[in-house]
Amino acid sequence: MDMDPFIDWAIEMLQFGYDTPQLLILAGLPKPTSFFETIPYVKGALNELRQEQRADDPAIVRLTGYIKEIAQDKDIEENLGELYVCYYGAYDKYYLLLDFFLLYLAWYSLMNSYSDDQNYWPGAKSENIRNIVVQRAKLWLEENNAFLKTVVA
């Protein structure tokens, strides 16, 4: 997976006035960079920026609905696909969805190959990917509970 767009994103975020330690490190990584070198800084920067997600964004309500359905083990592949499309189309805006983007790529890779090799989510195999996705959705809802109370009834 090409991680260079995340470096570009970090540079843009700094230009927009955001300034966090993980964002600075990410922006300073040399290109081309590897997934495994970059992803900890991407996740760290996203965690630092979490409070910046706009609560008045109407799309957050819809996106949270997909995550809630995944957490309830409903239509996982379909809901994960919706989150993937939203993230892929606007990763600079919906950075809270990074894990679901990566989980979709892992799911797709595992379901469309004859091996359990994928580079998107550590430890994910065809026999456990569904459980990993459901557990991550539950954890995401817990981690964002305070934020979601201001957005979703």
Side-chain angles (χ1 to χ4, degrees):
M1 177 177 192
D2 180 13
M3 297 302 286
D4 290 351
F6 289 102
I7 294 172
D8 296 337
W9 167 77
I11 293 168
E12 288 176 15
M13 293 299 284
L14 291 170
Q15 291 171 341
F16 288 133
Y18 296 93
D19 185 9
T20 71
Q22 297 293 310
L23 203 55
L24 287 168
I25 293 170
L26 182 60
L29 291 177
K31 292 180 188 179
T33 187
S34 75
F35 173 84
F36 294 106
E37 178 184 5
T38 308
I39 199 65
Y41 299 113
V42 171
K43 287 184 176 187
L46 295 176
N47 284 333
E48 291 170 340
L49 295 169
R50 183 180 312 270
Q51 69 277 6
E52 300 297 328
Q53 183 71 59
R54 293 182 48 122
D56 62 348
D57 185 342
I60 294 297
V61 175
R62 181 174 50 103
L63 299 176
T64 300
Y66 295 135
I67 296 169
K68 284 182 176 181
E69 284 200 7
I70 291 171
Q72 296 169 3
D73 204 359
K74 294 180 183 173
D75 302 319
I76 295 173
E77 189 172 5
E78 180 180 324
N79 288 313
L80 199 55
E82 292 293 333
L83 293 170
Y84 168 82
V85 169
C86 290
Y87 181 85
Y88 188 77
Y91 68 87
D92 58 329
K93 189 172 183 182
Y94 300 119
Y95 49 80
L96 290 173
L97 301 178
L98 175 64
D99 282 354
F100 298 103
F101 176 79
L102 296 172
L103 284 165
Y104 174 85
L105 293 172
W107 182 299
Y108 184 84
S109 179
L110 291 168
M111 297 304 143
N112 292 294
S113 72
Y114 293 107
S115 72
D116 265 350
D117 293 331
Q118 53 80 29
N119 295 320
Y120 303 104
W121 197 267
K125 304 286 183 196
S126 56
E127 68 269 1
N128 69 357
I129 186 69
R130 182 181 193 91
N131 187 51
I132 289 172
V133 173
V134 170
Q135 293 307 312
R136 183 60 194 116
K138 289 177 181 179
L139 182 61
W140 188 93
L141 290 169
E142 288 175 22
E143 290 172 347
N144 293 285
N145 187 38
F147 165 75
L148 293 173
K149 284 181 180 178
T150 66
V151 181
V152 183

